[in-house]
Amino acid sequence: MLYLLDYMSENTLHKGRRIAKNTMLLYVRMFVLMLVGLYTSRVVLDALGETDYGIYSVVGGVVAMFTMISGALNSAVSRFIAFELGKGDLSRLNKVYCTSVNIQLVLALIVVLLAEPIGLWFIENKMTIAASRIPAATWVLHFSLLAFVVNLMSVPQMASITAHEKMSAYAYIGILDGLLRLGVAFLIVNSPIDKLVYYAILMAAVVVVVRITYGLYCRVKFQECRYRFIFDGPLAKEMFSFAGWNFIGVTSGVLRDHGGNILVNLFSGHSGPILNAARGVAVQLNGAVQSFVSNFMTAVNPQITKSYAAGDKEYVFSLVGKSSRMAFYLLSLMAIPIIFNTELLLQVWLKDVPDHAVLFVQLFLMFAMSEALSLPLITAMLATGKIRNYQLAVGGVQLLNIPLSYLFLKLGAKPEITVVVAIALSQVCLFVRLVMFNRASGFSVPDFIKDVYVNAMKVAMIASLLPLLLMYMLPEGLLWSVLNIAICLLWTAGTVIWVGCSKSDRDFLKEFIVRRRER
């Protein structure tokens, strides 16, 4: 993250330092949340059991399917707030905020009216669960929907915090969120009512408390976050136009992630909830590992959007290339050691490891590594505002996930095929994004392939060689397995530094460390 500094410009140096500082704050948040999250998952899985854990996972997925309605507009709100902040127009910034709050109110009502009947119909007629658990699953739907609506209403506040790059608040409130979830895990062990229902109630309560905290912070700190009833018609039309095309991309992503989980349930008979639990464990671990990248991108994204709004394309192109590499490296540092030691880590983490969980974890991590290269490109493409053809192309490719997965499952493939399909299509989407960003802004595709893609593949292959050899060379046993993990981590870090980083990157890192020691 630290070598994102441009040595040519003092202004760019300041931007790079801000990214580095914000990334460090977010990593403090991440480490706390990762430790709490992994432990919480173990306690929750043990308390609920595999079946109820799987039910919560798939019902939550049904509610999350409605992010294809809200997600497109959420991206529009975040983009418009960051863009107007980059242009420095505070009056229009307040209009964007107030208009977005009004839009979210209407959208929340629409989501509730759609999700309640559709969700109830799905639970009662399509889900593979015991009849005795349908009432509990129904309550999970209600409270998951409540949490979803509360999150929906907080989008303008969250967008303001990230656009202003106030990552200290984001970090501290995020830690509060993690600690509250840890408290929930302990409370459900001795539940006064059905544990699954109690868990859904408490998780919704956590969301309400955290979002109120975010709202109060924004109202105190940011002048544009003072709500007035303003509905700017032309602005709303512009935001809806942006959101309308973005809807295609968001929908395809939601169907890929949560539709795959539902397909697994539908094609697995009575073992559906167990397989959903295995997939849920994989998603949880994958989310913890992906936080290395998501926190980094949270610090980078506002600078991409604001710099594009200010007309600094040279910095945007440089930042996209370097942050794509860094996102891949950060994920590799955690993903590669886990991929080659998944079974041991799951046995240590969980008391009982669900069947298929090991392979699901490995495949999800490979998918995350593939997607990491695209994250800065997505932000940069949204910053241009030229997203109609982009969303048609990328969204069209991503929408193939469901029909292809359905076809393979119908032909008798194992449930893990849903993730294999996602990995293959992710690579296709990366190159589609490159072509579309090139057409929108003049970004160099050959330079990205040479400096980022080829470099990332080289790092991945070299970093995997030693772990692969150790799998067959080292004897079995806990001590040898721990040694294997330590060697894999050091080898991957060394590969990133000496193969992935240029000499100027390494020199800067050395200089940075020396300065920190002197301070």
Side-chain angles (χ1 to χ4, degrees), residues 177-361:
D177 185 11
L179 294 177
L180 289 174
R181 290 173 188 270
L182 179 61
V184 168
F186 288 123
L187 286 173
I188 63 170
V189 173
N190 298 304
S191 172
I193 57 175
D194 184 290
K195 286 184 178 180
L196 182 57
V197 176
Y198 194 48
Y199 181 63
I201 293 172
L202 292 177
M203 290 299 289
V206 167
V207 171
V208 171
V209 170
V210 171
R211 298 312 164 191
I212 288 174
T213 307
Y214 275 120
L216 291 174
Y217 176 85
C218 289
R219 181 171 178 80
V220 170
K221 292 292 184 179
F222 307 137
Q223 189 175 4
E224 73 272 11
C225 292
R226 305 296 176 87
Y227 176 75
R228 297 175 294 154
F229 183 77
I230 297 176
F231 192 86
D232 188 310
L235 175 60
K237 182 180 179 181
E238 187 180 354
M239 292 176 71
F240 271 118
S241 175
F242 185 95
W245 292 114
N246 201 39
F247 176 80
I248 298 172
V250 173
T251 301
S252 62
V254 171
L255 290 175
R256 176 197 64 205
D257 297 338
H258 299 288
N261 199 28
I262 293 172
L263 283 177
V264 167
N265 182 274
L266 296 178
F267 275 91
S268 302
H270 294 296
S271 61
I274 305 299
L275 284 168
N276 289 133
R279 209 173 187 272
V281 167
V283 170
Q284 180 72 27
L285 183 57
N286 181 56
V289 174
Q290 276 195 295
S291 61
F292 276 82
V293 177
S294 61
N295 283 289
F296 170 68
M297 290 309 303
T298 299
V300 171
N301 285 340
Q303 294 225 359
I304 292 177
T305 304
K306 289 191 288 187
S307 297
Y308 194 93
D312 192 356
K313 283 190 177 182
E314 184 178 349
Y315 178 68
V316 171
F317 293 165
S318 173
L319 191 55
V320 166
K322 291 178 179 179
S323 57
S324 293
R325 279 197 297 156
M326 192 59 197
F328 184 86
Y329 297 158
L330 286 171
L331 197 57
S332 298
L333 282 171
M334 292 297 294
I336 291 176
I338 293 175
I339 287 171
F340 288 98
N341 298 276
T342 307
E343 189 169 358
L344 170 70
L345 292 170
L346 288 182
Q347 288 173 353
V348 172
W349 175 28
L350 306 172
K351 292 182 179 179
D352 297 307
V353 180
D355 292 338
H356 297 264
V358 171
L359 188 52
F360 266 128
V361 167

